[in-house]
Amino acid sequence: MKLFIRNTCVRFIYTNDNTNRLHIRAILCHTYHLALHDYYNQARDLILMIFIQHTIYLADISTQILYNRTMVQLGLCVFRFVPNLEDMFQLPIERVHGIIFKMIMNEELMGSIKESSQTIILSKARSSKIQNLSIELMEKICRLNEQNEKLTHFYSRQRQQLLN
């Protein structure tokens, strides 16, 4: 029932909206909802369909906050949705093993490939370049979240000042 109501509301906004702002916000909310419930492919296609990433800086603050939160949720959905590299990049397993082998040879990854179970065995506790990039990504997400909170606080203060 809830799914029916959401789909009905979203379709109504998509077809009857004359302002671009409401249409974009509806798509962002729809994408956020899909990502939250692990519909990664649909959420990805929906966000790519509107090309908002090129013009989000022109939008109002609340839409920018919604966009940032949607992108974070979509990023988290990827890690829940895609269990391995083969599915994430839609590559055959041999190609994935080739990429991993090159990373091991270039010392970007410390470990070996166990052929029988097709797993990677990491041999050193030292962080690899990919792990460092993952940490940097998480730090950027945290900074983005903090920035969103500051913008939300700033926006709510300005709104209260206008109402008073």
Side-chain angles (χ1 to χ4, degrees), residues 81-102:
F81 176 76
V82 183
N84 56 43
L85 288 173
E86 178 185 2
D87 293 337
M88 179 180 280
F89 298 108
Q90 298 173 348
L91 296 172
I93 192 72
E94 296 82 20
R95 180 75 176 126
V96 172
H97 280 260
I99 292 169
I100 292 171
F101 185 72
K102 284 180 186 175

Side-chain angles (χ1 to χ4, degrees), residues 100 104 109-124:
I100 292 171
I104 291 171
L109 242 154
M110 300 298 162
S112 60
I113 298 175
K114 187 175 180 182
E115 292 295 329
S116 60
S117 62
Q118 297 182 347
T119 58
I120 301 170
I121 301 171
L122 298 177
S123 59
K124 292 186 180 181

Side-chain angles (χ1 to χ4, degrees), residues 4-164:
F4 174 75
I5 292 171
R6 179 188 51 85
N7 286 340
T8 304
C9 291
V10 167
R11 277 195 211 113
F12 178 79
I13 292 171
Y14 289 169
T15 57
N16 298 323
D17 178 43
N18 294 331
T19 65
N20 196 24
R21 179 182 182 270
L22 187 58
H23 183 79
I24 288 173
R25 290 183 63 80
I27 290 176
L28 290 173
C29 288
H30 191 190
T31 303
Y32 185 92
H33 177 80
L34 290 170
L36 186 64
H37 295 287
D38 294 334
Y39 295 106
Y40 169 70
N41 288 330
Q42 293 172 350
R44 180 201 60 206
D45 294 345
L46 191 58
I47 200 73
L48 291 175
M49 181 180 73
I50 61 173
F51 299 105
I52 192 171
Q53 58 271 23
H54 303 296
T55 59
I56 190 62
Y57 67 93
L58 298 173
D60 59 299
I61 293 173
S62 60
T63 303
Q64 289 180 20
I65 292 170
L66 180 59
Y67 171 78
N68 289 338
R69 289 181 178 170
T70 302
M71 295 311 291
V72 168
Q73 191 59 242
L74 190 59
L76 293 172
C77 179
V78 169
F79 290 108
R80 289 190 308 265
F81 176 76
V82 183
N84 56 43
L85 288 173
E86 178 185 2
D87 293 337
M88 179 180 280
F89 298 108
Q90 298 173 348
L91 296 172
I93 192 72
E94 296 82 20
R95 180 75 176 126
V96 172
H97 280 260
I99 292 169
I100 292 171
F101 185 72
K102 284 180 186 175
M103 292 173 71
I104 291 171
M105 295 302 291
N106 292 333
E107 295 182 358
E108 295 172 5
L109 242 154
M110 300 298 162
S112 60
I113 298 175
K114 187 175 180 182
E115 292 295 329
S116 60
S117 62
Q118 297 182 347
T119 58
I120 301 170
I121 301 171
L122 298 177
S123 59
K124 292 186 180 181
R126 191 179 92 193
S127 298
S128 68
K129 290 180 183 178
I130 288 184
Q131 290 169 332
N132 290 333
L133 288 173
S134 297
I135 291 170
E136 287 179 28
L137 174 65
M138 290 309 296
E139 288 173 352
K140 286 181 182 181
I141 288 172
C142 288
R143 283 195 302 268
L144 186 62
N145 189 24
E146 290 173 8
Q147 189 179 32
N148 279 340
E149 293 300 324
K150 288 178 185 177
L151 286 171
T152 303
H153 181 69
F154 174 75
Y155 183 67
S156 63
R157 275 191 307 168
Q158 281 200 339
R159 189 175 200 181
Q160 285 179 347
Q161 288 175 355
L162 290 174
L163 292 176
N164 293 336

